[in-house]
Each structure stands twice: as C-alpha cells, then as structure tokens.
Amino acid sequence: MSYDLPRPAGRLLLTPEDKEAPARVRRLRRLGLGEHPEPALDAFADHLAERTGAAYAMVNFIDEHRQFFAGLRVPDVRPRANTDEEAKPEIGRSMERDHGFCPHVVVRRKALVLEDVRDYPRFAGNPVVDEFGIRSYLGAPLIDTTGMVLGTVCVADTAPRAWGKAGLEAIKWTAADLAGRLERREADGLLS
C-alpha cells in the first residue's frame, strides 16, 4: 500500500491528523527531548522489552513529520522464516509519521492494543507491517501534567501476541511512570 498517493474524497485517513503537533514540538524543545538518543531511555526500553518479552521497545517522541525513538531496543538478530527470504530493514532512531502505530496513540490520547495487526484493516497495510514484519503492538501515551501528549511508550513483536488486560495495564502504568520521571528531570534541571 502506498502512502504517497493522494487521498480520494471520503477515504479514511491512514494516519490521523494531529492538531497538537506544533504545540508538542515547542514543548519537546523546552524539555530537550526528541532530537537525540538518551542512554537512560535506552535502558528504560531495554527493561520494558525484557519485562514484556517483546522484540522491540521504544520511547517515542512525535513531531509534525516524524517520530524519534529517544529510547530504543531492537533485537540483535532479525529472525527470518527461511534463508531465501530478503533481509528486512532495521528500525533506526527516526521514522516517518505515517509509519507505525504510535501516531494513532498520540491523537487518540489513550493506549492501543493490537494483538495481531493483520486483524485491523486500518493497520494491516502500515509500512512497519510489510517492511519490518511487525505483527503485534502495545502502546500508551506519555501525557505530562500540562495535558500534552509528548509521545509514547510501546512494545512490538514479530508474532501475534495476546497482550491481554495485564499488558494494557502494565503499558499504561509504565507510560505514566516515565512521564513523571521526565517531569522530575525538568524540575531538577537535568534535561538538556
């Protein structure tokens, strides 16, 4: 599915319009977030991946045009179904806004559980499904005390996963915990 084609009238937008993006960019700049990797957020993503058993974990800050993974955990070796299969590209620190599921979490302002992304037509044709082999996703918004959604905390896997209510509650708690930590860093003057 191409994301570069003009949208026909009446067609459902694949990535929702984000009216808060300009204000989010200003807030992220004030916090010194979303422009460079942070070892503490990488460690946070590592812990999240280990806790959930997911192949990928991210702390993602979203601006008007892209997503930036300030915290990132990716598998060391990408699994392949067979040796003739083409190697999939690696997930880097940034991704177009139209890729992935986090922009939906940000606009919805609530957690998103996709146990098998192929079960949801809106998400099945997303580039991360075809390009990176992502089959399941669990993410929650990072909402600060100003009410701004800064980005997301999420995990993804290459196989369908039954995240369940426990997974949903865990990712929501994890996002709230990290949002509090980021604000404490701001209050303590520890953000760049």
Side-chain angles (χ1 to χ4, degrees), residues 51-52 111-115 138-140 161-174:
R51 182 174 174 197
T52 62
L112 178 63
V113 178
L114 300 172
E115 293 183 346
L138 178 64
R161 294 277 303 266
W163 301 108
K165 186 175 180 176
L168 174 63
E169 293 305 317
I171 200 74
K172 288 166 50 176
W173 180 89
T174 301

Side-chain angles (χ1 to χ4, degrees), residues 42 55-60 67-76 78 87-96 99-102 126-137 154-158:
D42 282 342
Y56 299 91
M58 292 148 272
V59 177
N60 185 8
Q67 305 173 65
F68 184 79
F69 304 117
L72 179 63
R73 160 77 181 278
V74 297
D76 291 331
R78 300 208 27 113
K88 303 253 186 240
E90 293 292 325
I91 291 181
R93 288 285 177 173
S94 64
M95 183 181 289
E96 291 181 41
H99 289 48
F101 314 105
C102 292
N126 196 293
V128 299
V129 174
D130 297 330
E131 294 174 25
F132 300 104
I134 300 300
R135 293 291 177 254
S136 58
Y137 172 89
C154 66
V155 294
D157 214 334
T158 56

Side-chain angles (χ1 to χ4, degrees), residues 168-185:
L168 174 63
E169 293 305 317
I171 200 74
K172 288 166 50 176
W173 180 89
T174 301
D177 178 58
L178 182 57
R181 289 183 194 194
L182 293 173
E183 289 200 304
R184 283 191 297 277
R185 284 183 6 168

